[in-house]
Amino acid sequence: MAAVIEGIGAWLPPRIVTNDDLCTTLDSTHEWIETRTGISERRMVSEGMSTRDLAVEAGVRALKSAGAATVDAVVLATTSFDRLCPAVAPEVAHLLGLGTVPAFDLTSACSGFLYGLATSGGLIASGVADRVLFIGAEAFTTLVNPEDRGTAPIFGDGAGAVVLRRGDADEPGALGVFDLGSDGARADLLAIPAGGSRQRSASAGLGHDTVPVEDWYLRMEGRPLFQQAVERMAESSRGVLDRTGWSVADVDWFVGHQANVRIVNAVADELELARDRVAVNIGRVGNTLAASVPLLLNDIAHTGALRPGHRVLLSAFGAGLSWGSTVLTWPDIPVEAVR
Ligand code: UT7
């Protein structure tokens, strides 16, 4: 028994923000951003649009790709919730017309898609569900300080989704072994300090806010994160390849989390993987956290670069710290373009 991908879909909000657009208010340049990150433009949600809306659009497309009208559960990976409470997934399930199925959110930042694949596969393995809609959706640009040049150029909004069904381990689309890990000792390298139980607004009833405004925004230490990202993704990738019995030469596509093109290339170099097998779309989408891997899969499958039967290595790394990798053989499923 295995969880098998039977549909994929993705969606980007229509608002395109170029590096030049950002640099009208940010102390940076298009050249710096593109050279240091590989990003030229990203999408951002407009006023009134939230993670829920992105998730629904990606969900519709994944269900269509799978030819599925119903699922037994909805799992949503996000680190940019619509509200602190409740989870986004139940509302997404409702809006997709999926009724009262079990639905919950999972928070694992940029490795959310890998953690979510493993969790969704687990729902199938445990008999809770035969078919799961799993979505990674993020409106994370709403949590980034637009005046912080260290973080504002990096992130983008978007969503990607897959439908998983119960199947056999030797079928195309079957999820392989997983390597997942975390390092909470480095939790502060990428964090939004306020809004949770540790540092919450005390303004209610007091007439003033005790939390400094910058604590509501993302804080990131780029350099140590860069190094951790390369180390952890390379090690985790090697782990799943070894356990699967694949050599690096067996990998047709490395689909790594798009945090920085230099990170993805450095992981490929560590693995001694040729650059023409490294999938990249960060240039037009930026870092979309849990949506990054499915958006990239959707992109390369739609162009025909990723074909049925290709062997794919997926790997991601992010806040927590947390990371994860898995492998699969790409299935023959319809894929719509993401505009
Ligand atoms: O999603 C998973 C988690 N996130 C990551 O994995 C992010 C990993 N880190 C990175 O991608 C990179 O560290 C960044 C893109 C965030 C930064 O690139 P970097 O090459 O590590 O730059 P840096 O932070 O070491 O800064 C180099 C210089 C500094 O100037 P000085 O001190 O050398 O004079 C910065 O002040 O570049 C400056 N700088 C900028 N200059 C223009 C930093 N950000 C900018 C900017 N525009 N936006």
Side-chain angles (χ1 to χ4, degrees), residues 5-21:
I5 293 183
E6 66 168 350
I8 188 165
W11 198 72
L12 291 165
R15 183 158 78 102
I16 299 174
V17 179
T18 65
N19 291 346
D20 283 336
D21 293 337

Side-chain angles (χ1 to χ4, degrees), residues 118-189:
T119 303
S120 302
L123 291 177
I124 292 172
S126 64
V128 170
D130 285 332
R131 178 175 280 133
V132 178
L133 172 62
F134 168 48
I135 309 171
E138 304 277 5
F140 197 76
T141 63
T142 58
L143 305 174
V144 171
N145 184 347
E147 290 170 9
D148 176 12
R149 69 176 185 170
T151 53
I154 295 170
F155 296 93
D157 302 328
V162 290
V163 176
L164 296 168
R165 65 160 169 82
R166 182 183 298 275
D168 296 322
D170 56 2
E171 282 185 69
L175 302 179
V177 297
F178 279 85
D179 176 87
L180 300 172
S182 76
D183 177 7
R186 292 184 167 91
D188 290 340
L189 289 183

Side-chain angles (χ1 to χ4, degrees), residues 172-173 252 301 304-312 329-335:
D252 295 303
L306 170 61
R307 292 193 300 276
H310 274 167
R311 294 176 175 210
V312 188
T329 301
W330 192 246
D332 193 1
I333 53 176
V335 187

